[in-house]
Amino acid sequence: MDSNTLVPELDAENTGELKYSRTIADLPGPKGQPFIGNLMQLTGRQLHLTLTQWIGEFGPIFRVTAFGSPMVIVSDRTVVNHLLRERPEAFRRSRNLKAVMNELKIGGVFTAESEDWRKQRKLVMGGLNAEVVRNFFPTMVFMTDRMLQRWKTAVVAGKPVNLRRDLKALALDIIVGIAMGHDIDAVNDDDSRLQRNIDNLFQRLGNRTTALFDYWRYFKLPVDHAADKSAAEVEQAVEEFIKNTRERLKQEAHLQRKPANMLEAMIVASENPESDFTDQELISNAILSVIGGEDTTSNSIAWMINLLAQNPAAAAALTAEVDAVLGDAPLAHEWEMMKQFPYLEAVHNESQRLRSVAPFIGLASNADCVVAETFIPKDTAVFVATTGEGLDEAQFPNPELFQPERWIFEQKPQRDDDPTRKLFPFGGGARLCPGRFLALTEIKVVVSMLMRHFELELDPKAPPVEQVMNFFVGPSAVPVRLKLRA
Ligand code: HEM
């Protein structure tokens, strides 16, 4: 494709001056059924795999339809990059996603648009900046050590470790710790209420965003009532955290200058007389962070463990790096160590390429525009693939192989060859994930702890691991046994 034709051109004024050589109807796409189109293929927990398979069949831009409404799927990295960068003006988040998330009280900056988005983005960025993550770092190390002690005790006693469950609990401890300033110790609480409520919300989010029909708006099943109850309980818990934090900030004025967590930073920002943040914005963004920070990070680590267990040479290379950086220390307890894990970062990049936790971002056009020479009318749904060309043989030779070495270079590659420009695991443009720095820090602390103390043994009898979309995509299991290193 000629890169000059990829930039989306907007026709906000409807002047009819857009230049294009085709319409959506001219794009290739899978055959659908009369009237409903591809609807039946666009539902369920394997939707991302269907779309990925179609990318292989129909190429970098194709269309599907549901009840006559077209949707465009884009994976060409230059087009994806442009579309993500044209926000919030030219594209917004998909309307359906926004409605479903807001119904479950998970809105905040993720579903906000225009000026409202700008305002909330400032609030959230202030709460997740490098200084806040650094101030929280000792607590993250403490929580990771608590996980280590639990795993060691279990392994010594010959008890099985449920890695899937434990990684979620640890990610929840860390995100609630940084977002709310509270230690819920979900790692050692096998019946954490907050964990259950969040699992409930994810289940509904996953079901409703891939449902054939929005039945819950007409009648509610017991699972929908349970989700409403969970949403109300999470909101109540967050209100309580906010109240406690406000009191602590009043009593310990020095915290205002050096906020130790996201909530403190957001409350300090919201109390600035020049800001006009509301309590509701504080609450919804605190909830969003907990929801956004749990499954994303724990699924990413779970995929890394599965892939490392299947690739012993990569696991050995990572263990060698971790040993060299940690020396005699049991954990990566010094902030400076975070810059010393190039192989661990490569393992993460390679895992996101093969097993992205957020493989598609749903957008909608705000005005008539042209994308890759195709006329896209206002309000068209456009899905961008965050894995871009990650499975394209021409971009990543032998794309099915797990090879972290692809991401290690003596000299930074030229712009066009730079693999980091070919994938978008954290999205892009002005809406780039504000939690990525926190997530990458957490991934380094947790995975280095794991490799420092344990060998990963793949359970040979376990059934194949499936990719399950529960809003974010995670493995159906982590069939890996931990064995204490000598
Ligand atoms: C490995 C972990 C993570 C991955 C792969 C991930 C991925 C993503 C992606 C793909 C987006 C959409 C970006 C876009 O539209 O361009 C996003 C947005 C977002 N993420 Fe993350 N995320 C991760 C961790 C986190 C964490 C730990 C937090 C919170 C503490 C977080 C909070 C958010 C928020 C608030 C947004 C919305 C930003 C906006 O609309 O302006 N994420 N993330």
Side-chain angles (χ1 to χ4, degrees):
M1 270 189 226
D2 173 2
S3 63
N4 291 326
T5 63
L6 299 174
V7 185
E9 290 178 32
L10 277 189
D11 186 18
E13 305 295 318
N14 235 350
T15 56
E17 286 174 11
L18 289 173
K19 291 195 182 73
Y20 51 88
S21 61
R22 58 186 173 184
T23 64
I24 295 177
D26 301 321
L27 293 177
K31 208 166 152 28
Q33 290 172 294
F35 186 57
I36 60 169
N38 305 103
L39 186 71
M40 301 307 284
Q41 297 146 293
L42 292 172
T43 57
R45 300 306 174 99
Q46 305 282 300
L47 171 60
H48 62 293
L49 293 180
T50 310
L51 292 179
T52 306
Q53 189 197 323
W54 284 341
I55 290 175
E57 259 173 73
F58 300 108
I61 176 162
F62 66 93
R63 52 121 190 101
V64 293
T65 57
F67 290 123
S69 298
M71 285 175 244
V72 176
I73 290 88
V74 179
S75 59
D76 178 287
R77 72 176 134 133
T78 317
V79 187
V80 169
N81 189 26
H82 278 303
L83 293 180
L84 293 176
R85 283 175 188 278
E86 290 292 326
R87 295 174 301 165
E89 289 78 15
F91 291 89
R92 59 177 188 275
R93 293 225 185 271
S94 110
R95 198 168 278 153
N96 179 41
L97 177 62
K98 180 175 172 151
V100 168
M101 287 181 79
N102 288 351
E103 282 165 353
L104 294 169
K105 298 182 193 279
I106 316 167
V109 66
F110 194 90
T111 55
E113 297 296 339
S114 309
E115 275 317 302
D116 190 24
W117 169 76
R118 264 181 244 282
K119 188 173 109 178
Q120 297 195 45
R121 176 87 188 180
K122 213 167 137 195
L123 184 73
V124 171
M125 289 302 283
L128 282 170
N129 67 29
E131 194 199 345
V132 176
V133 176
R134 188 180 180 153
N135 292 345
F136 180 74
F137 183 71
T139 313
M140 183 190 289
V141 174
F142 162 80
M143 289 171 166
T144 307
D145 187 37
R146 196 161 61 192
M147 183 79 270
L148 169 62
Q149 300 315 324
R150 184 176 157 111
W151 282 345
K152 270 187 175 170
T153 310
V155 173
V156 168
K159 289 190 184 150
V161 166
N162 182 344
L163 280 169
R164 192 85 185 94
R165 177 263 168 212
D166 285 352
L167 290 170
K168 268 166 95 92
L170 177 56
L172 185 63
D173 279 349
I174 291 175
I175 191 65
V176 173
I178 190 164
M180 313 285 175
H182 198 82
D183 184 3
I184 59 166
D185 195 4
V187 156
N188 290 307
D189 180 357
D190 285 317
D191 196 26
S192 161
R193 200 169 179 84
L194 190 57
Q195 178 93 67
R196 250 187 303 138
N197 281 333
I198 289 178
D199 284 350
N200 247 345
L201 291 181
F202 265 122
Q203 278 291 338
R204 277 313 89 206
L205 198 56
N207 268 50
R208 290 180 183 180
T209 45
T210 54
L212 268 177
F213 164 61
D214 53 351
Y215 74 86
W216 63 94
R217 294 186 182 133
Y218 306 94
F219 59 91
K220 287 197 172 173
L221 299 172
V223 282
D224 299 298
H225 287 298
D228 287 345
K229 192 162 170 256
S230 289
E233 282 189 19
V234 171
E235 189 173 47
Q236 206 181 357
V238 170
E239 281 170 358
E240 193 64 22
F241 288 135
I242 292 181
K243 197 172 119 222
N244 295 343
T245 307
R246 279 216 163 101
E247 274 164 24
R248 201 170 56 239
L249 281 170
K250 255 191 226 144
Q251 281 156 14
E252 300 174 50
H254 68 277
L255 293 175
Q256 308 221 2
R257 288 188 304 277
K258 197 184 169 196
N261 62 57
M262 186 182 173
L263 196 53
E264 284 177 8
M266 292 204 302
I267 290 177
V268 171
S270 73
E271 287 178 353
N272 179 335
E274 281 169 26
S275 80
D276 56 350
F277 299 123
T278 63
D279 261 19
Q280 201 44 51
E281 284 163 351
L282 262 185
I283 295 170
S284 61
N285 282 298
I287 296 177
L288 173 71
S289 304
V290 172
I291 300 286
E294 192 214 43
D295 267 21
T296 47
T297 317
S298 65
N299 285 355
S300 301
I301 298 176
W303 281 127
M304 287 169 80
I305 296 175
N306 274 341
L307 289 163
L308 284 167
Q310 288 161 13
N311 294 276
L318 180 57
T319 303
E321 176 178 272
V322 168
D323 285 351
V325 176
L326 265 59
D328 292 336
L331 287 130
H333 60 104
E334 285 172 18
W335 181 247
E336 285 63 36
M337 290 175 173
M338 294 301 103
K339 295 190 199 111
Q340 297 168 24
F341 289 118
Y343 198 81
L344 202 160
E345 282 175 23
V347 168
H348 173 253
N349 284 335
E350 187 67 345
S351 297
Q352 292 285 6
R353 183 181 72 79
L354 287 169
R355 299 286 184 269
S356 171
V357 300
F360 291 92
I361 300 178
L363 310 175
S365 51
N366 285 333
D368 291 354
C369 61
V370 174
V371 175
E373 296 197 4
T374 316
F375 176 67
I376 306 283
K378 183 179 176 199
D379 292 332
T380 301
V382 179
F383 283 83
V384 300
T386 58
T387 39
E389 296 158 357
L391 298 177
D392 182 350
E393 173 79 43
Q395 303 297 336
F396 293 92
N398 297 318
E400 68 292 349
L401 297 184
F402 178 75
Q403 291 177 337
E405 288 70 18
R406 307 177 195 270
W407 301 86
I408 308 245
F409 311 97
E410 274 178 23
Q411 279 177 346
K412 189 138 172 76
Q414 296 290 306
R415 212 181 145 88
D416 256 15
D417 293 331
D418 185 349
T420 57
R421 291 178 178 271
K422 298 178 186 174
L423 299 190
F424 309 88
F426 293 103
R431 299 197 81 142
L432 180 69
C433 172
R436 69 196 180 286
F437 186 63
L438 167 66
L440 290 173
T441 307
E442 183 176 337
I443 286 167
K444 285 179 202 167
V445 173
V446 176
V447 175
S448 63
M449 172 275 272
L450 192 80
M451 304 313 284
R452 181 84 184 95
H453 296 272
F454 303 99
E455 278 172 38
L456 310 176
E457 282 185 345
L458 206 57
D459 178 353
K461 293 196 203 103
V465 173
E466 283 177 22
Q467 301 184 40
V468 183
M469 191 165 77
N470 205 12
F471 192 63
F472 295 112
V473 180
S476 52
V478 185
V480 174
R481 285 198 214 112
L482 298 185
K483 191 175 147 203
L484 272 175
R485 281 178 65 195

